[in-house]
Amino acid sequence: MRSEGRDCGVAFGMSAFGILPRAFALIAVLCGSSAGVALAEEGLRGMLPSDITWDQRRSSPDVFYAGIYGDPAKPGPYAFRVRAQAGHSLPPHTHPDERTVTVLSGTYWSGVGETFDEARLEVFPAGSFYVIPAGVPHFSAVLEGEVEFQEAGVGPSSHDLVKSGGGEK
């Protein structure tokens, strides 16, 4: 069977290093180029890690914020990233929109309820994804190391503290 396959190019007057492989290479390059142009024409927007601008929001423990897409305060989709060190925590709060959270590195702990309760924290290691429905009181913490996560939703949004939730660290 193998020798029949090798003879196929010869049957069409071409060697293994002849015109056919070059034609396939040219088609691949042209298709790749036109796909790139088509994506650019459709408005593809991206951001490389080196393009991200981090703003320090707190220190001791350090917390950094980076707007990735849109603005949570305005109508429309948005995404932002947070990088935080061990010791950072958020008291119970809600958002008017559904939030999706993807843990990019480290480990993040999050729980649901109107009172911060470390026993109710669920662990989300790097690669995890979870959803917080709109209006659901939740809290979170970084118990060890450093974490980076990306959060997204559809604005306008806000961060509304639950009155019995305690303070932010």
Side-chain angles (χ1 to χ4, degrees), residues 1-129:
M1 283 286 210
R2 285 189 177 176
S3 62
E4 290 174 17
R6 277 187 260 151
D7 293 338
C8 182
V10 175
F12 292 102
M14 293 177 254
S15 72
F17 297 103
I19 294 174
L20 193 56
R22 289 185 192 140
F24 284 133
L26 180 60
I27 289 169
V29 168
L30 291 176
C31 288
S33 297
S34 65
V37 171
L39 289 174
E41 290 172 2
E42 293 174 15
L44 174 69
R45 291 180 276 173
M47 181 177 281
L48 299 174
S50 60
D51 298 332
I52 296 173
T53 302
W54 292 95
D55 296 317
Q56 188 163 8
R57 294 286 174 99
R58 287 187 209 100
S59 60
S60 197
D62 288 339
V63 177
F64 295 86
Y65 173 93
I68 299 296
Y69 179 75
D71 182 343
K74 297 179 180 174
Y78 64 86
F80 61 86
R81 290 188 182 175
V82 173
R83 193 172 63 219
Q85 293 180 334
H88 167 67
S89 66
L90 288 175
H93 60 281
T94 63
H95 308 286
D97 59 323
E98 179 177 85
R99 297 279 181 105
T100 61
V101 179
T102 304
V103 180
L104 303 173
S105 65
T107 303
Y108 198 46
W109 287 261
S110 190
V112 175
E114 293 187 1
T115 304
F116 190 99
D117 181 357
E118 195 168 305
R120 296 185 67 186
L121 288 170
E122 293 186 43
V123 64
F124 293 96
S128 298
F129 172 87

